[in-house]
Amino acid sequence: MFALGLTLLLINVFGLFKSLRNEELYSEITPYKDDISIRFEEAKKQWNRGDMESDKEFAARATMLVNKSMAHYWKNEGIKKYHMRIPVWENYILTLKQWITGHKKYEFRNYKKVIERGVGICSQPCIGLKYLLNANGIEADLWDLQQHIVVGVTFADGTEYTLDPDYGYVIPVGMSALQDNPKLVREAYKNHDGVYASHLKEHKHTEDIVTMYAQEGNNIYHMKKPFEDFSYCAKWILPLLLLLPYFLTLLLRKKA
Protein backbone atom coordinates (compact mmCIF):
# COMPACT_ATOMS: atom_id res chain seq x y z
CA MET A 1 0.00 0.00 0.00
CA PHE A 2 2.80 2.39 0.91
CA ALA A 3 4.66 1.71 -2.35
CA LEU A 4 1.50 2.21 -4.43
CA GLY A 5 0.56 5.38 -2.57
CA LEU A 6 4.04 6.83 -2.96
CA THR A 7 4.10 5.96 -6.66
CA LEU A 8 0.76 7.64 -7.31
CA LEU A 9 1.81 10.69 -5.32
CA LEU A 10 5.05 11.01 -7.29
CA ILE A 11 3.11 10.66 -10.56
CA ASN A 12 0.85 13.53 -9.48
CA VAL A 13 3.79 15.72 -8.52
CA PHE A 14 5.49 14.96 -11.85
CA GLY A 15 2.29 16.01 -13.61
CA LEU A 16 2.41 19.44 -11.97
CA PHE A 17 5.42 20.23 -14.13
CA LYS A 18 3.91 18.92 -17.36
CA SER A 19 1.53 20.64 -19.78
CA LEU A 20 -1.18 19.12 -21.92
CA ARG A 21 -0.32 21.54 -24.70
CA ASN A 22 2.24 20.33 -27.23
CA GLU A 23 4.10 23.22 -28.88
CA GLU A 24 3.97 21.39 -32.22
CA LEU A 25 0.29 22.30 -32.31
CA TYR A 26 1.14 25.75 -33.69
CA SER A 27 2.61 24.26 -36.86
CA GLU A 28 -0.06 21.56 -37.31
CA ILE A 29 -1.96 21.61 -40.61
CA THR A 30 -5.68 22.05 -39.88
CA PRO A 31 -8.75 22.87 -41.99
CA TYR A 32 -9.04 26.44 -40.69
CA LYS A 33 -7.25 29.64 -41.63
CA ASP A 34 -5.17 31.17 -38.78
CA ASP A 35 -6.50 28.34 -36.63
CA ILE A 36 -4.68 28.87 -33.33
CA SER A 37 -3.04 32.16 -32.40
CA ILE A 38 -3.33 32.49 -28.61
CA ARG A 39 -0.81 30.61 -26.49
CA PHE A 40 -1.88 28.99 -23.24
CA GLU A 41 -0.09 31.45 -20.96
CA GLU A 42 -1.93 34.32 -22.65
CA ALA A 43 -5.24 32.44 -22.58
CA LYS A 44 -4.96 32.05 -18.78
CA LYS A 45 -4.79 35.83 -18.47
CA GLN A 46 -7.85 36.30 -20.65
CA TRP A 47 -10.30 33.72 -19.31
CA ASN A 48 -11.10 35.78 -16.19
CA ARG A 49 -14.03 38.14 -16.50
CA GLY A 50 -13.27 41.85 -16.17
CA ASP A 51 -14.81 43.83 -13.29
CA MET A 52 -16.72 46.12 -15.67
CA GLU A 53 -17.43 43.51 -18.33
CA SER A 54 -21.09 42.75 -19.01
CA ASP A 55 -22.45 39.24 -19.53
CA LYS A 56 -22.78 39.83 -23.27
CA GLU A 57 -19.33 41.35 -23.63
CA PHE A 58 -17.74 38.49 -21.73
CA ALA A 59 -19.67 35.84 -23.69
CA ALA A 60 -18.52 37.35 -26.99
CA ARG A 61 -14.91 37.67 -25.86
CA ALA A 62 -14.88 34.15 -24.34
CA THR A 63 -16.15 32.72 -27.64
CA MET A 64 -13.26 34.20 -29.57
CA LEU A 65 -10.80 33.30 -26.82
CA VAL A 66 -11.74 29.62 -27.10
CA ASN A 67 -11.72 29.86 -30.90
CA LYS A 68 -8.21 31.35 -31.09
CA SER A 69 -6.79 29.16 -28.28
CA MET A 70 -7.65 25.84 -29.95
CA ALA A 71 -6.79 24.03 -33.16
CA HIS A 72 -9.46 22.15 -35.11
CA TYR A 73 -7.75 18.77 -34.86
CA TRP A 74 -8.92 15.33 -33.70
CA LYS A 75 -7.04 12.83 -35.86
CA ASN A 76 -6.12 9.36 -34.62
CA GLU A 77 -2.44 9.86 -35.45
CA GLY A 78 -2.32 12.70 -32.94
CA ILE A 79 -3.84 10.80 -29.99
CA LYS A 80 -0.57 10.44 -28.09
CA LYS A 81 1.11 13.55 -29.46
CA TYR A 82 -1.66 15.91 -28.36
CA HIS A 83 -2.79 13.96 -25.29
CA MET A 84 -6.27 13.02 -26.53
CA ARG A 85 -5.78 9.89 -24.43
CA ILE A 86 -5.27 11.27 -20.91
CA PRO A 87 -1.65 10.71 -19.78
CA VAL A 88 -1.11 8.93 -16.46
CA TRP A 89 0.75 11.99 -15.16
CA GLU A 90 -2.28 14.20 -15.84
CA ASN A 91 -4.94 12.06 -14.16
CA TYR A 92 -4.41 8.34 -13.69
CA ILE A 93 -8.10 7.91 -12.77
CA LEU A 94 -9.24 9.27 -16.13
CA THR A 95 -6.54 7.18 -17.82
CA LEU A 96 -7.97 4.08 -16.12
CA LYS A 97 -11.50 5.08 -17.10
CA GLN A 98 -10.47 5.38 -20.75
CA TRP A 99 -8.78 1.98 -20.59
CA ILE A 100 -11.92 0.38 -19.10
CA THR A 101 -14.36 2.03 -21.54
CA GLY A 102 -12.11 1.54 -24.55
CA HIS A 103 -12.47 5.16 -25.65
CA LYS A 104 -9.35 6.32 -27.50
CA LYS A 105 -10.05 10.03 -27.09
CA TYR A 106 -11.32 12.07 -24.17
CA GLU A 107 -13.18 15.37 -24.23
CA PHE A 108 -12.53 17.48 -21.15
CA ARG A 109 -15.36 19.25 -19.33
CA ASN A 110 -13.08 21.60 -17.36
CA TYR A 111 -12.63 24.67 -19.56
CA LYS A 112 -9.09 25.23 -18.25
CA LYS A 113 -8.07 21.74 -19.40
CA VAL A 114 -9.91 22.19 -22.72
CA ILE A 115 -7.92 25.34 -23.48
CA GLU A 116 -4.66 23.97 -22.10
CA ARG A 117 -4.69 20.94 -24.39
CA GLY A 118 -5.89 23.12 -27.26
CA VAL A 119 -7.25 20.51 -29.66
CA GLY A 120 -10.75 19.38 -30.59
CA ILE A 121 -13.48 19.58 -33.17
CA CYS A 122 -16.77 21.44 -32.67
CA SER A 123 -17.96 19.66 -29.52
CA GLN A 124 -14.78 20.20 -27.45
CA PRO A 125 -14.54 24.01 -27.83
CA CYS A 126 -18.28 24.25 -27.20
CA ILE A 127 -18.00 22.18 -24.01
CA GLY A 128 -15.15 24.39 -22.86
CA LEU A 129 -17.08 27.58 -23.63
CA LYS A 130 -20.23 26.33 -21.92
CA TYR A 131 -18.43 25.63 -18.65
CA LEU A 132 -16.40 28.84 -18.87
CA LEU A 133 -19.67 30.79 -19.13
CA ASN A 134 -21.33 28.72 -16.39
CA ALA A 135 -18.39 29.43 -14.08
CA ASN A 136 -19.10 33.12 -14.57
CA GLY A 137 -22.82 32.88 -13.81
CA ILE A 138 -24.06 32.77 -17.41
CA GLU A 139 -26.66 30.19 -18.43
CA ALA A 140 -25.43 28.18 -21.41
CA ASP A 141 -26.39 24.90 -23.09
CA LEU A 142 -24.84 22.73 -25.77
CA TRP A 143 -26.95 22.34 -28.89
CA ASP A 144 -26.52 19.31 -31.13
CA LEU A 145 -27.26 20.20 -34.75
CA GLN A 146 -26.44 16.55 -35.63
CA GLN A 147 -23.52 17.61 -37.83
CA HIS A 148 -22.26 20.43 -35.63
CA ILE A 149 -22.38 21.65 -32.02
CA VAL A 150 -23.05 25.23 -30.88
CA VAL A 151 -23.73 26.96 -27.55
CA GLY A 152 -27.08 28.54 -26.75
CA VAL A 153 -26.94 31.30 -24.13
CA THR A 154 -29.71 32.98 -22.16
CA PHE A 155 -28.71 36.16 -20.32
CA ALA A 156 -30.26 37.52 -17.14
CA ASP A 157 -32.33 40.05 -19.12
CA GLY A 158 -33.84 37.26 -21.23
CA THR A 159 -31.75 38.01 -24.32
CA GLU A 160 -30.49 34.95 -26.20
CA TYR A 161 -27.28 34.46 -28.17
CA THR A 162 -25.97 31.55 -30.21
CA LEU A 163 -22.22 31.08 -29.97
CA ASP A 164 -20.07 29.03 -32.34
CA PRO A 165 -16.53 28.86 -30.90
CA ASP A 166 -15.42 26.27 -33.43
CA TYR A 167 -15.98 28.52 -36.43
CA GLY A 168 -15.65 31.75 -34.43
CA TYR A 169 -19.12 33.34 -34.58
CA VAL A 170 -21.05 35.36 -32.01
CA ILE A 171 -24.68 35.49 -33.14
CA PRO A 172 -26.98 37.86 -31.15
CA VAL A 173 -29.98 35.62 -31.87
CA GLY A 174 -31.28 32.59 -29.95
CA MET A 175 -31.43 29.03 -31.25
CA SER A 176 -35.22 29.03 -31.67
CA ALA A 177 -35.14 32.06 -33.94
CA LEU A 178 -32.28 30.65 -36.01
CA GLN A 179 -34.05 27.33 -36.51
CA ASP A 180 -37.26 29.07 -37.57
CA ASN A 181 -35.69 31.65 -39.89
CA PRO A 182 -33.06 30.49 -42.41
CA LYS A 183 -32.39 34.11 -43.38
CA LEU A 184 -30.91 34.79 -39.95
CA VAL A 185 -28.55 31.81 -40.28
CA ARG A 186 -27.60 32.86 -43.79
CA GLU A 187 -26.73 36.35 -42.58
CA ALA A 188 -24.72 35.10 -39.59
CA TYR A 189 -22.65 32.67 -41.70
CA LYS A 190 -22.49 34.74 -44.90
CA ASN A 191 -18.68 34.84 -44.91
CA HIS A 192 -18.29 31.20 -43.95
CA ASP A 193 -16.03 30.24 -46.86
CA GLY A 194 -13.40 32.55 -45.40
CA VAL A 195 -13.02 30.35 -42.30
CA TYR A 196 -11.23 27.57 -44.18
CA ALA A 197 -7.58 27.28 -45.16
CA SER A 198 -6.75 27.57 -48.85
CA HIS A 199 -5.54 23.95 -49.10
CA LEU A 200 -9.02 22.63 -48.22
CA LYS A 201 -10.96 21.92 -51.41
CA GLU A 202 -14.14 20.51 -49.86
CA HIS A 203 -15.87 22.02 -46.84
CA LYS A 204 -19.22 23.24 -45.55
CA HIS A 205 -20.65 26.35 -47.20
CA THR A 206 -23.16 28.86 -45.89
CA GLU A 207 -26.14 26.92 -47.26
CA ASP A 208 -24.88 23.73 -45.59
CA ILE A 209 -24.97 25.54 -42.25
CA VAL A 210 -28.47 26.84 -42.99
CA THR A 211 -29.62 23.27 -43.58
CA MET A 212 -28.11 22.08 -40.30
CA TYR A 213 -29.96 24.68 -38.25
CA ALA A 214 -33.27 24.04 -40.03
CA GLN A 215 -33.33 20.24 -39.82
CA GLU A 216 -35.59 18.37 -37.41
CA GLY A 217 -34.06 16.64 -34.41
CA ASN A 218 -31.76 19.38 -33.16
CA ASN A 219 -31.64 19.18 -29.38
CA ILE A 220 -29.79 20.19 -26.23
CA TYR A 221 -26.65 18.10 -25.81
CA HIS A 222 -25.65 17.07 -22.28
CA MET A 223 -22.12 16.35 -21.04
CA LYS A 224 -21.79 15.07 -17.47
CA LYS A 225 -19.12 16.84 -15.44
CA PRO A 226 -19.16 15.48 -11.82
CA PHE A 227 -16.92 12.44 -12.40
CA GLU A 228 -14.16 14.53 -13.95
CA ASP A 229 -14.30 16.99 -11.04
CA PHE A 230 -14.26 14.08 -8.58
CA SER A 231 -11.28 12.44 -10.31
CA TYR A 232 -9.09 15.52 -9.93
CA CYS A 233 -9.72 15.52 -6.17
CA ALA A 234 -9.55 11.74 -5.78
CA LYS A 235 -6.21 11.44 -7.58
CA TRP A 236 -4.63 13.22 -4.58
CA ILE A 237 -6.80 11.74 -1.85
CA LEU A 238 -6.20 8.11 -2.85
CA PRO A 239 -2.38 8.12 -2.48
CA LEU A 240 -2.66 9.95 0.84
CA LEU A 241 -5.07 7.30 2.12
CA LEU A 242 -2.67 4.57 1.00
CA LEU A 243 0.21 6.27 2.81
CA LEU A 244 -1.77 6.94 5.98
CA PRO A 245 -1.52 3.43 7.56
CA TYR A 246 2.28 3.51 7.32
CA PHE A 247 2.56 6.84 9.13
CA LEU A 248 -0.03 5.80 11.74
CA THR A 249 2.03 2.66 12.42
CA LEU A 250 5.17 4.76 12.86
CA LEU A 251 3.31 7.06 15.24
CA LEU A 252 1.99 4.17 17.34
CA ARG A 253 5.45 2.58 17.56
CA LYS A 254 6.92 5.88 18.67
CA LYS A 255 4.34 6.23 21.43
CA ALA A 256 4.95 2.64 22.55
Side-chain angles (χ1 to χ4, degrees):
M1 288 177 61
F2 177 83
L4 178 58
L6 183 60
T7 300
L8 294 178
L9 187 61
L10 290 175
I11 288 172
N12 287 341
V13 172
F14 177 73
L16 294 176
F17 299 94
K18 297 280 288 181
S19 175
L20 286 166
R21 180 165 294 203
N22 185 330
E23 292 296 307
E24 293 183 37
L25 188 61
Y26 301 103
S27 58
E28 187 65 62
I29 296 174
T30 75
Y32 295 171
K33 186 189 300 180
D34 303 323
D35 198 11
I36 179 169
S37 58
I38 299 179
R39 293 185 176 271
F40 180 54
E41 291 304 316
E42 181 59 30
K44 288 195 290 185
K45 299 175 184 177
Q46 294 189 32
W47 67 38
N48 293 318
R49 183 174 175 177
D51 293 337
M52 303 301 292
E53 199 168 24
S54 70
D55 285 356
K56 294 172 187 175
E57 289 171 338
F58 178 72
R61 185 173 66 80
T63 300
M64 299 315 298
L65 171 63
V66 172
N67 174 262
K68 294 300 181 183
S69 299
M70 299 185 67
H72 187 91
Y73 185 94
W74 205 239
K75 295 180 179 179
N76 287 336
E77 53 263 38
I79 287 177
K80 183 177 181 180
K81 185 177 183 180
Y82 296 123
H83 306 309
M84 298 176 204
R85 181 182 293 114
I86 306 302
V88 173
W89 48 260
E90 170 61 27
N91 189 319
Y92 58 83
I93 295 176
L94 291 181
T95 303
L96 180 61
K97 179 184 177 183
Q98 277 194 274
W99 181 77
I100 292 172
T101 60
H103 294 157
K104 293 183 178 180
K105 304 171 187 175
Y106 181 83
E107 288 190 306
F108 280 109
R109 280 63 163 168
N110 184 318
Y111 69 87
K112 295 179 180 180
K113 295 298 180 181
V114 172
I115 294 175
E116 180 183 356
R117 185 170 61 180
V119 294
I121 49 177
C122 58
S123 55
Q124 182 66 117
C126 284
I127 293 166
L129 179 60
K130 167 190 161 54
Y131 285 114
L132 173 55
L133 296 177
N134 289 167
N136 285 273
I138 300 173
E139 183 182 339
D141 290 305
L142 301 168
W143 274 87
D144 183 1
L145 306 184
Q146 300 174 67
Q147 296 177 341
H148 190 51
I149 307 293
V150 295
V151 179
V153 177
T154 302
F155 297 104
D157 64 0
T159 303
E160 295 183 348
Y161 274 20
T162 302
L163 309 175
D164 190 337
D166 182 43
Y167 289 137
Y169 295 115
V170 176
I171 308 168
V173 180
M175 274 296 302
S176 297
L178 288 175
Q179 291 183 112
D180 293 340
N181 191 341
K183 291 183 179 179
L184 294 175
V185 181
R186 195 171 288 114
E187 176 62 24
Y189 289 84
K190 63 183 178 182
N191 298 317
H192 191 64
D193 284 356
V195 170
Y196 298 96
S198 58
H199 66 81
L200 202 67
K201 303 305 178 184
E202 295 184 5
H203 57 74
K204 290 184 173 66
H205 299 282
T206 300
E207 290 306 311
D208 297 319
I209 306 296
V210 171
T211 300
M212 287 194 300
Y213 273 94
Q215 66 190 337
E216 295 183 3
N218 293 341
N219 58 84
I220 290 179
Y221 170 57
H222 296 285
M223 289 292 290
K224 295 180 180 180
K225 190 169 180 282
F227 182 81
E228 182 176 293
D229 292 340
F230 164 77
S231 71
Y232 273 92
C233 293
K235 75 170 193 170
W236 290 99
I237 294 172
L238 180 58
L240 293 177
L241 290 176
L242 291 170
L243 291 171
L244 184 60
Y246 174 79
F247 290 108
L248 287 177
T249 301
L250 288 181
L251 181 61
L252 291 173
R253 285 179 179 176
K254 186 177 180 180
K255 286 183 176 181

